[in-house]
Amino acid sequence: MAASTNSFLIGNQTQIPSLKPKSIISQSFIHFTKPNTINLTTRTKSVSIRCASASTTVESEQRVFNFAAGPAALPENVLLKAQSDLYNWRGSGMSVMEMSHRGKEFLSIIQKAESDLRQLLEIPSEYSVLFLQGGATTQFAALPLNLCKSDDSVDYVVTGSWGDKAFKEAKKYCNPKVIWSGKSEKYTKVPSFDGLEQTSHAKYLHICANETIHGVEFKDYPVVKNPDGILIADMSSNFCSKPVDVSKFSVIYAGAQKNVGPSGVTIVIIRKDLIGNARDITPVMLDYKIHDENSSLYNTPPCFGIYMCGLVFDDLLEQGGLKEVEKKNQRKAELLYNAIDESRGFFRCPVEKSVRSLMNVPFTLEKSELEAEFIKEAAKEKMVQLKGHRSVGGMRASIYNAMPLAGVEKLVAFMKDFQARHA
């Protein structure tokens, strides 16, 4: 078996280029014989990699349609842009992963990312935008620590697992109350806002705008009855999937790994007058004032993740903004939900139709014993991560912004074929 001077084989399908485009790879192969190691001489289908003096061309097999709930698919053009800039960002002589977070290069990246996000969501000037770490889950604690005292009352509407987790975390830091829960109905609904019995003196009302696991999405938002209270939303799984009137909220927070970037970045949009009231016990990394005063650069931020978010924001603007993005998402969701509803019960979505998520579509099979086969066959057809969350089972197709219409069309065609064979 001979190797070219520009590539070598690893595993059974992959070739890895040299780290430097001009370098030469030895023709020898390393062969491991111990258990749990890789035989570098074994291959079935190879992937051709040709190294030129200034660039590397990779010819790979077709990418899968990735229906994962997060980390989720990213736009292919964004990935290719990042690939082209990975080794040497805009002639700087270094990768984004290598540059100082306080240097002029990265400052231009984070400032443009914030500017583009502000344009996308039409964020008013009286709001700060923070790029943080720790996932949306860290904000479950940061919110009460920054916005209320230990004996203050706050309200939670719980429409799924994430709202429930946020409530349970808040119990450590204040006096939260669940004013509505969909748990008894297996999280398939959103309450009537008129019927919500809000606490008259609650500091804030918290909602999860889209429940990733259960596929329940707010189509409108409640109004806080306390004149001094505020509305807070966890928008992790539908962030930037549609236009949102930011002025209706005092805080919006979201993990990036669903719609706008890789895991590792958490975005917080917060009204400026709410910043600066953190309790003495608040860890410095959870204090919004610290991050606001330092423009999200108090410590080393997730630089590459922020760069990727910036590329996604730019891509969303190129698509025509969030109104156009929403139209695409509505079309994908309608296609998939119609396939479920028209299957005569073979497929079922438990969520009330009026609040079905445009992002996360849970469904089950009438014959539950076929679900494993469905997932297995779909994977063979290059449609992956369709297994439902471990807490609810069934299937779930997450069809975020980066999922192309072709992916949903292929899934629907597969569903119809699967039903024809197993009905």
Side-chain angles (χ1 to χ4, degrees):
M1 182 182 297
S4 72
T5 58
N6 288 326
S7 62
F8 65 95
L9 298 178
I10 183 168
N12 62 355
Q13 293 187 6
T14 308
Q15 291 181 320
I16 305 297
S18 58
L19 293 178
K20 297 180 180 180
K22 290 185 180 180
S23 65
I24 303 299
I25 302 296
S26 170
Q27 294 187 13
S28 62
F29 287 75
I30 303 174
H31 187 91
F32 295 99
T33 57
K34 293 182 179 180
N36 301 319
T37 56
I38 298 174
N39 181 348
L40 296 186
T41 63
T42 303
R43 65 175 173 179
T44 53
K45 296 179 181 178
S46 64
V47 179
S48 173
I49 294 181
R50 295 190 295 273
C51 297
S53 60
S55 64
T56 301
T57 301
V58 180
E59 297 175 359
S60 64
E61 293 184 353
Q62 183 182 1
R63 283 166 54 85
V64 298
F65 287 118
N66 179 9
F67 291 92
L74 286 162
E76 287 193 18
N77 57 319
V78 165
L79 292 172
L80 292 170
K81 173 62 176 173
Q83 181 187 52
S84 69
D85 281 345
L86 183 64
Y87 185 68
N88 185 350
W89 182 80
R90 297 189 180 182
S92 65
M94 55 186 163
S95 170
V96 174
M97 291 182 284
E98 301 171 301
M99 59 182 59
S100 167
H101 64 292
R102 303 191 193 281
K104 63 179 181 179
E105 295 87 359
F106 183 71
L107 287 178
S108 71
I109 290 172
I110 193 171
Q111 288 167 2
K112 185 177 187 303
E114 179 179 338
S115 176
D116 286 350
L117 179 57
R118 285 185 176 276
Q119 184 179 345
L120 277 169
L121 285 170
E122 299 180 359
I123 301 173
S125 59
E126 59 266 27
Y127 287 74
S128 287
V129 175
L130 307 177
F131 293 95
L132 307 178
Q133 302 180 65
T137 302
T138 299
Q139 298 307 309
F140 296 167
L143 290 165
L145 284 169
N146 279 270
L147 301 177
C148 57
K149 299 181 176 62
S150 60
D151 58 350
D152 281 341
S153 295
V154 295
D155 286 343
Y156 281 74
V157 174
V158 177
T159 52
S161 295
W162 294 110
D164 184 55
K165 290 177 185 292
F167 162 72
K168 288 176 178 176
E169 185 72 358
K171 289 172 70 174
K172 302 174 183 177
Y173 307 107
C174 60
N175 183 28
K177 178 182 179 181
V178 174
I179 60 171
W180 188 91
S181 172
K183 186 174 183 179
S184 64
E185 297 181 83
K186 298 183 178 179
Y187 297 127
T188 56
K189 297 181 179 180
V190 166
S192 166
F193 300 148
D194 292 336
L196 287 179
E197 296 184 6
Q198 297 184 37
T199 305
S200 61
H201 55 284
K203 283 282 187 175
Y204 63 75
L205 172 61
H206 180 283
I207 65 170
C208 180
N210 185 87
E211 283 285 353
T212 318
I213 294 173
H214 297 91
V216 177
E217 183 173 18
F218 281 78
K219 304 302 180 180
D220 198 1
Y221 307 104
V223 175
V224 179
K225 292 183 178 178
N226 177 7
D228 298 320
I230 61 175
L231 181 61
I232 297 174
D234 175 357
M235 291 192 180
S236 292
S237 52
N238 65 352
F239 188 68
C240 285
S241 67
K242 60 183 180 181
V244 170
D245 184 353
V246 174
S247 66
K248 288 185 176 182
F249 303 87
S250 295
V251 185
I252 293 171
Y253 65 99
Q257 68 275 9
K258 316 289 188 178
N259 267 316
V260 298
S263 60
V265 181
T266 305
I267 297 168
V268 174
I269 301 169
I270 180 170
R271 225 172 60 202
K272 291 180 179 179
D273 62 302
L274 297 173
I275 297 173
N277 300 307
R279 281 185 246 170
D280 292 340
I281 64 167
T282 304
V284 67
M285 288 303 294
L286 299 189
D287 189 337
Y288 293 140
K289 182 180 179 182
I290 294 292
H291 295 293
D292 184 55
E293 289 178 340
N294 290 276
S295 302
S296 302
L297 299 171
Y298 174 73
N299 71 327
T300 307
C303 295
F304 193 77
I306 293 170
Y307 157 75
M308 290 294 293
C309 288
L311 293 184
V312 173
F313 298 152
D314 186 63
D315 178 64
L316 295 175
L317 289 170
E318 285 292 320
Q319 291 183 49
L322 298 187
K323 288 183 179 179
E324 293 302 314
V325 170
E326 182 182 28
K327 290 177 184 177
K328 295 176 182 179
N329 288 330
Q330 287 172 333
R331 185 180 178 189
K332 291 184 296 184
E334 182 180 13
L335 183 64
L336 183 50
Y337 283 121
N338 283 346
I340 294 170
D341 293 339
E342 294 169 3
S343 70
R344 301 182 303 278
F346 188 83
F347 298 103
R348 295 174 178 172
C349 175
V351 181
E352 186 179 278
K353 288 186 178 182
S354 63
V355 293
R356 285 177 172 178
S357 171
L358 296 185
M359 300 285 96
N360 310 102
V361 182
F363 60 99
T364 58
L365 278 167
E366 183 180 30
K367 302 175 182 178
S368 58
E369 66 274 13
L370 292 175
E371 290 177 357
E373 184 64 22
F374 179 92
I375 294 166
K376 181 179 178 181
E377 288 189 20
K380 289 181 180 179
E381 296 297 324
K382 299 194 175 189
M383 293 174 287
V384 301
Q385 299 297 323
L386 283 164
K387 187 175 182 179
H389 191 271
R390 61 186 179 276
S391 65
V392 296
M395 279 80 64
R396 174 180 54 178
S398 293
I399 49 176
Y400 299 122
N401 291 349
M403 173 57 64
L405 178 62
V408 178
E409 290 175 335
K410 183 172 182 178
L411 175 59
V412 166
F414 171 75
M415 290 168 67
K416 291 179 178 179
D417 175 70
F418 189 88
Q419 180 176 356
R421 291 184 285 111
H422 295 92

